[in-house]
Amino acid sequence: MGAFLPWFRNHYDNYAKPYQEPYRYPEPVPTICRKYIEIRYKLIQYIYDAMYENSRCGKPICRPLFMDEIKPGEFHNDPYADDEHGWGYNGYTSNRLDDQFFLGKDILVAPIVNPGQKSRAVYLPSGSQWYRFTDDEMPLDAPVHGGVEFDFYSPWDDPSKDNCAVYVREGAIIPKRELEQYIGELYSQGKMNPVTFTVYPGRDSKYMMYLDDDGVTNSAEKEGKYRLTQISHQGIPGGQKIRINRTYDKFKPAETLYYLSMPGTITPQSVRAAGKSLQQKTGASNEEAAKALADSKDTPGAYYYNNYLNTTFIKIFDTSTDITVEVVF
């Protein structure tokens, strides 16, 4: 659970257990801890953006389930969130929702909180469909309709399974970066770590990304040197339109490009950016096609389709303050 909290540190009572460091315990503890710490580092931009939002309007980084409702009152009118609904799975009452939470607006976390527990009740708020978080390593499962409670198998002792229930709201835009062992590792090696915006299927939505950190100065606070980029998507006949618009632009990040990831899609018929058709990169395997995309210098970008993940990946060079990408399937 700690990997999804804004302040990530571990404490221990040395009278109750011998060690603080996860790696000093036998397997599967190190492997499971490593898996979720790595997810946190990939989501660090998402967490950073939630912190920026907190600084502007006070919304907490970790939020109760009644916040950010699609329609006001949906949570309280949902019978599964009603005190009188009855008993849920594994001895939970269905209104016991104090052990699951939102990270930001669109990621729902339902951790295992009891020793030895192998499954738990998970409630998904009504008004949305929800996708199990797969970290772009597996195809998306079919969405789960909100307003339901179900039993989620999450054994604490099997690292090959989900040890924590994590779901993403339909239509969400989730920024991710490549895994680093510490923030800035790739920069220290002379490499870039561009953001990938994962656009989930579903209703139209928008997302605000905040960039400011040159790692040295406090010029963002003192001189207003930062960048705000709004990413939005909306359905069009047969496809999706994604807009990337810098709404405040007084900071230039090291990255010169970014990626769009569209899971749950079929092979596009066409992809256009800034009114220009993008070339599809291919290869004998998905890995070869991904490398061809990474190596591509085509402007404004290019794309490839991963037929295992059922995901369209689009590369866009960050040369415009406002660019629209249209994908037709």
Side-chain angles (χ1 to χ4, degrees):
M1 180 175 72
F4 298 101
L5 298 179
W7 187 253
F8 182 43
R9 60 187 297 181
N10 65 326
H11 292 270
Y12 85 117
D13 179 352
N14 61 355
Y15 295 103
K17 59 182 181 180
Y19 307 119
Q20 181 176 11
E21 299 82 2
Y23 58 81
R24 299 191 69 178
Y25 289 88
E27 291 290 353
V29 173
T31 296
I32 292 173
C33 289
R34 183 183 302 111
K35 176 171 66 175
Y36 286 97
I37 292 171
E38 288 180 349
I39 289 175
R40 177 186 179 85
Y41 270 71
K42 294 176 186 178
L43 289 173
I44 204 69
Q45 182 65 53
Y46 180 81
I47 297 171
Y48 200 54
D49 295 337
M51 291 181 174
Y52 171 75
E53 185 181 22
N54 170 263
S55 74
R56 304 302 295 176
C57 69
K59 277 191 174 181
I61 292 89
C62 291
R63 304 173 185 180
L65 298 190
F66 59 79
M67 290 192 73
D68 296 308
E69 293 176 306
I70 300 301
K71 295 180 181 179
E74 279 183 326
F75 178 82
H76 294 290
N77 293 328
D78 188 341
Y80 277 91
D82 192 323
D83 289 351
E84 298 179 357
H85 179 69
W87 286 87
Y89 293 97
N90 298 325
Y92 283 80
T93 57
S94 57
N95 67 307
R96 176 163 175 197
L97 304 175
D98 58 349
D99 61 356
Q100 59 181 80
F101 58 90
F102 283 123
L103 174 60
K105 180 172 72 74
D106 290 320
I107 296 179
L108 183 145
V109 181
I112 290 291
V113 294
N114 297 315
Q117 189 176 351
K118 291 183 179 289
S119 63
R120 61 154 295 155
V122 173
Y123 166 79
L124 299 178
S126 61
S128 298
Q129 297 189 94
W130 299 87
Y131 289 92
R132 185 171 67 88
F133 179 75
T134 63
D135 198 21
D136 291 333
E137 294 183 354
M138 297 176 62
L140 280 185
D141 291 341
V144 180
H145 289 279
V148 299
E149 183 184 58
F150 58 93
D151 197 32
F152 188 91
Y153 179 62
S154 48
W156 68 269
D157 57 351
D158 185 352
S160 69
K161 306 293 184 182
D162 286 333
N163 312 104
C164 177
V166 182
Y167 280 81
V168 180
R169 192 193 306 268
E170 64 163 317
I173 300 171
I174 307 295
K176 291 175 58 181
R177 295 185 186 270
E178 291 296 317
L179 176 64
E180 296 181 299
Q181 297 305 307
Y182 59 89
I183 302 301
E185 178 189 21
L186 293 178
Y187 294 152
S188 71
Q189 300 171 2
K191 303 175 183 178
M192 291 191 300
N193 192 358
V195 173
T196 294
F197 299 105
T198 299
V199 180
Y200 281 79
R203 62 165 53 89
D204 300 349
S205 70
K206 58 185 178 181
Y207 181 88
M208 185 68 76
M209 181 177 70
Y210 173 77
L211 295 173
D212 77 342
D213 196 357
D214 62 8
V216 178
T217 71
N218 59 2
S219 57
E221 177 186 4
K222 301 296 184 182
E223 303 173 39
K225 292 185 177 181
Y226 60 91
R227 175 183 289 183
L228 293 174
T229 303
Q230 181 173 274
I231 305 93
S232 59
H233 76 96
Q234 66 181 86
I236 58 174
Q240 284 285 318
K241 179 168 66 175
I242 303 170
R243 182 184 180 190
I244 304 95
N245 178 28
R246 301 180 203 161
T247 60
Y248 183 90
D249 195 13
K250 293 189 177 181
F251 172 75
K252 185 177 182 180
E255 301 91 353
T256 59
L257 57 94
Y258 49 84
Y259 290 92
L260 302 173
S261 168
M262 303 178 69
T265 57
I266 60 176
T267 304
Q269 296 182 21
S270 67
V271 179
R272 298 176 64 85
K276 299 180 180 179
S277 294
L278 303 190
Q279 182 182 10
Q280 180 179 3
K281 300 300 179 181
T282 59
S285 65
N286 286 317
E287 291 74 19
E288 287 188 11
K291 185 178 186 306
L293 181 65
D295 293 342
S296 172
K297 305 298 183 184
D298 298 347
T299 56
Y303 75 98
Y304 96 97
Y305 181 74
N306 187 306
N307 58 13
Y308 168 70
L309 295 175
N310 299 328
T311 299
T312 302
F313 291 95
I314 306 169
K315 177 180 181 179
I316 300 293
F317 283 95
D318 191 14
T319 57
S320 174
T321 59
D322 191 353
I323 190 170
T324 297
V325 178
E326 293 189 1
V327 186
V328 176
F329 299 102

